[in-house]
Amino acid sequence: MPNSIPHLLLQEQFLNRFNGRTLIVHRGFPDQYFKELLEQPGGGGHFRIDVRIPPGTPPTPIEWVVHHHVIPLDLPMPLLVKVDPDRLYLRHLLHGEHAGHPSEILWMLDAIRERYHFRLEHRQGYYQPVPGMPVEENDIDYDFNND
């Protein structure tokens, strides 16, 4: 296989590695954000991908998902991605023009299956985007319980 990997294989490899995980897609973090993130419970467990780094040739499975399915949605960054086997849930981390505190991530994850900006539905070899709440909306419901 020269420079191409079938999309179905990339998708399968992505899900095998990241199913049940949380990704943070970013273009660099604001000052002290990464330090604060690591101080939060589970904060070091989020896989972080910096989109300023171009994908390889061929792309890794995560590069394929992020560069071909997430970035084209043109959502503000940093961006939270919850990976389920049949769909991905995307929600940006901004309040106005500034990233919210990393401690808010767990609250957002608690409600992400109901409060997302986009949901990417798993299809054979690609993800179908489904819009959710407006990009301008990103309030956190601190009383929400996703159980």
Side-chain angles (χ1 to χ4, degrees), residues 40-109:
Q40 298 305 310
H46 308 302
F47 189 84
R48 298 164 304 280
I49 182 163
D50 189 339
V51 297
R52 298 174 298 179
I53 301 168
T57 305
T60 64
I62 192 169
E63 289 171 342
W64 174 75
V65 168
V66 169
H67 288 273
H68 288 102
H69 299 285
V70 173
I71 291 176
L73 297 172
D74 201 30
L75 288 169
M77 290 189 198
L79 180 65
L80 194 60
V81 180
K82 176 65 179 163
V83 181
D84 280 356
D86 53 351
R87 58 188 54 100
L88 311 178
Y89 296 93
L90 287 67
R91 183 170 174 174
H92 69 75
L93 299 175
L94 298 184
H95 294 299
E97 295 183 20
H98 302 286
H101 192 272
S103 63
E104 296 175 328
I105 290 174
L106 290 179
W107 290 103
M108 288 180 165
L109 283 172

Side-chain angles (χ1 to χ4, degrees), residues 29-41 43-44 48 101-103:
F29 289 109
D31 288 343
Q32 300 299 313
Y33 194 89
F34 184 65
K35 180 181 179 286
E36 290 285 337
L37 177 65
L38 294 178
E39 291 175 359
Q40 298 305 310
R48 298 164 304 280
H101 192 272
S103 63

